[in-house]
Coordinates of all heavy atoms in Angstrom, one line a residue:
F14 N 91.6 45.9 -148.6 CA 92.8 45.1 -148.9 C 94.0 46.0 -149.2 O 93.8 47.1 -149.7 CB 92.5 44.2 -150.0 CG 91.5 43.1 -149.8 CD1 90.3 43.2 -150.4 CD2 91.7 42.1 -148.8 CE1 89.3 42.2 -150.2 CE2 90.8 41.2 -148.6 CZ 89.5 41.2 -149.3
T15 N 95.2 45.5 -149.0 CA 96.4 46.0 -149.5 C 97.1 45.0 -150.3 O 96.9 43.8 -150.1 CB 97.3 46.5 -148.4 OG1 97.7 45.4 -147.5 CG2 96.7 47.6 -147.6
Y16 N 97.9 45.4 -151.2 CA 98.6 44.4 -152.1 C 100.0 44.9 -152.5 O 100.3 46.1 -152.4 CB 97.8 44.0 -153.3 CG 97.8 45.1 -154.4 CD1 98.5 45.0 -155.5 CD2 97.0 46.2 -154.3 CE1 98.5 45.9 -156.5 CE2 96.9 47.2 -155.2 CZ 97.7 47.0 -156.4 OH 97.7 48.0 -157.4
D17 N 100.9 44.0 -152.8 CA 102.2 44.4 -153.3 C 102.2 44.4 -154.8 O 102.0 43.3 -155.4 CB 103.2 43.3 -152.8 CG 104.6 43.6 -153.2 OD1 104.8 44.4 -154.1 OD2 105.5 42.9 -152.6
P18 N 102.4 45.5 -155.4 CA 102.2 45.6 -156.9 C 103.3 44.8 -157.7 O 103.1 44.6 -158.9 CB 102.3 47.1 -157.2 CG 103.1 47.7 -156.0 CD 102.7 46.8 -154.9
C19 N 104.4 44.5 -157.0 CA 105.4 43.7 -157.8 C 105.1 42.2 -157.8 O 105.6 41.5 -158.6 CB 106.8 44.0 -157.2 SG 107.3 45.7 -157.6
F20 N 104.3 41.8 -156.9 CA 104.0 40.3 -156.8 C 102.5 40.0 -156.8 O 102.2 38.8 -156.9 CB 104.6 39.8 -155.5 CG 106.1 40.0 -155.4 CD1 106.6 41.0 -154.5 CD2 107.0 39.3 -156.2 CE1 108.0 41.2 -154.5 CE2 108.4 39.5 -156.1 CZ 108.8 40.5 -155.2
Q21 N 101.7 41.0 -156.8 CA 100.2 40.7 -156.7 C 99.5 41.6 -157.7 O 100.0 42.7 -158.0 CB 99.7 40.8 -155.3 CG 100.3 39.9 -154.3 CD 99.9 40.2 -152.9 OE1 99.8 41.3 -152.5 NE2 99.6 39.1 -152.2
H22 N 98.3 41.3 -158.0 CA 97.3 42.1 -158.7 C 96.1 42.4 -157.9 O 95.7 41.6 -157.1 CB 96.8 41.4 -160.0 CG 97.8 41.2 -161.1 ND1 98.5 42.2 -161.7 CD2 98.2 40.0 -161.6 CE1 99.3 41.7 -162.6 NE2 99.2 40.3 -162.6
C23 N 95.6 43.6 -158.0 CA 94.3 44.0 -157.4 C 93.3 43.8 -158.5 O 93.3 44.5 -159.5 CB 94.4 45.4 -156.9 SG 92.8 46.0 -156.2
C24 N 92.3 42.9 -158.3 CA 91.3 42.6 -159.3 C 89.9 43.1 -158.8 O 89.4 42.4 -157.9 CB 91.3 41.1 -159.6 SG 92.9 40.4 -160.0
P25 N 89.4 44.1 -159.4 CA 88.0 44.5 -159.0 C 87.1 43.5 -159.7 O 87.2 43.1 -160.8 CB 87.8 45.9 -159.6 CG 88.9 46.0 -160.7 CD 90.0 45.1 -160.3
D26 N 86.1 43.0 -158.9 CA 85.1 42.0 -159.4 C 83.8 42.8 -159.5 O 83.1 43.0 -158.6 CB 85.0 40.9 -158.4 CG 84.1 39.8 -158.9 OD1 83.4 40.0 -160.0 OD2 84.1 38.7 -158.3
S27 N 83.5 43.3 -160.7 CA 82.4 44.2 -160.9 C 81.1 43.4 -160.8 O 80.0 44.0 -160.4 CB 82.4 44.8 -162.3 OG 82.5 43.8 -163.3
Y28 N 81.1 42.1 -161.0 CA 79.8 41.3 -160.8 C 79.4 41.2 -159.4 O 78.2 41.3 -159.1 CB 80.0 39.9 -161.4 CG 80.3 39.9 -162.9 CD1 81.6 39.4 -163.3 CD2 79.4 40.3 -163.8 CE1 81.9 39.4 -164.7 CE2 79.7 40.3 -165.2 CZ 80.9 39.9 -165.6 OH 81.3 39.9 -166.9
R29 N 80.4 41.0 -158.5 CA 80.0 40.9 -157.1 C 80.3 42.1 -156.3 O 80.0 42.2 -155.1 CB 80.9 39.7 -156.5 CG 80.7 38.4 -157.1 CD 81.6 37.4 -156.5 NE 81.5 36.1 -157.3 CZ 82.5 35.3 -157.5 NH1 83.7 35.6 -157.0 NH2 82.4 34.3 -158.2
G30 N 80.8 43.2 -156.9 CA 81.1 44.4 -156.2 C 82.2 44.3 -155.2 O 82.2 45.0 -154.2
K31 N 83.1 43.4 -155.4 CA 84.2 43.1 -154.4 C 85.6 43.3 -155.1 O 85.7 43.4 -156.3 CB 84.1 41.7 -153.8 CG 82.9 41.5 -153.0 CD 82.9 40.1 -152.5 CE 81.6 39.8 -151.7 NZ 81.6 38.5 -151.1
Y32 N 86.6 43.2 -154.3 CA 88.0 43.3 -154.8 C 88.7 42.0 -154.4 O 88.4 41.4 -153.3 CB 88.8 44.5 -154.2 CG 88.3 45.8 -154.8 CD1 87.2 46.4 -154.2 CD2 88.9 46.3 -155.9 CE1 86.8 47.7 -154.7 CE2 88.5 47.5 -156.4 CZ 87.5 48.2 -155.8 OH 87.0 49.4 -156.3
I33 N 89.5 41.5 -155.2 CA 90.3 40.3 -155.0 C 91.8 40.6 -155.2 O 92.1 41.3 -156.1 CB 89.9 39.1 -156.0 CG1 88.4 38.9 -155.9 CG2 90.7 37.9 -155.6 CD1 88.0 38.0 -157.1
V34 N 92.6 40.1 -154.3 CA 94.1 40.2 -154.4 C 94.6 38.9 -154.8 O 94.4 37.9 -154.1 CB 94.7 40.7 -153.1 CG1 96.3 40.8 -153.3 CG2 94.2 42.1 -152.8
V35 N 95.3 38.8 -156.0 CA 95.8 37.5 -156.4 C 97.3 37.6 -156.7 O 97.8 38.7 -157.0 CB 95.1 37.0 -157.7 CG1 93.7 36.7 -157.5 CG2 95.3 38.0 -158.9
N36 N 98.0 36.5 -156.5 CA 99.5 36.5 -156.8 C 99.7 36.5 -158.3 O 98.9 35.8 -159.0 CB 100.1 35.3 -156.2 CG 100.2 35.4 -154.7 OD1 100.2 36.5 -154.1 ND2 100.1 34.3 -154.0
K37 N 100.7 37.1 -158.8 CA 101.0 37.1 -160.2 C 101.6 35.7 -160.6 O 102.3 35.1 -159.8 CB 102.1 38.2 -160.5 CG 101.6 39.6 -160.4 CD 102.6 40.6 -160.7 CE 102.1 42.0 -160.6 NZ 103.1 43.0 -161.0
T38 N 101.2 35.3 -161.8 CA 101.8 34.1 -162.3 C 103.0 34.5 -163.2 O 103.0 35.6 -163.6 CB 100.8 33.3 -163.1 OG1 100.3 34.1 -164.1 CG2 99.7 32.8 -162.2
R39 N 103.9 33.6 -163.4 CA 105.1 33.9 -164.2 C 104.7 34.4 -165.6 O 105.2 35.4 -166.1 CB 106.0 32.7 -164.3 CG 106.7 32.5 -163.0 CD 107.8 31.5 -163.2 NE 108.5 31.4 -162.0 CZ 109.7 31.1 -161.9 NH1 110.4 30.7 -163.0 NH2 110.3 31.0 -160.7
G40 N 103.9 33.7 -166.3 CA 103.6 34.1 -167.7 C 102.3 34.9 -167.9 O 102.0 35.4 -168.9
G41 N 101.6 35.1 -166.8 CA 100.3 35.7 -166.8 C 100.3 37.2 -166.9 O 101.3 37.8 -166.5

């Protein structure tokens, strides 16, 4: 995966051994 660091997060999922790219929330 690739992601935009200003609008997304790269989330490693250690339980499943995968990576997830999610959009940033305003307050998150």
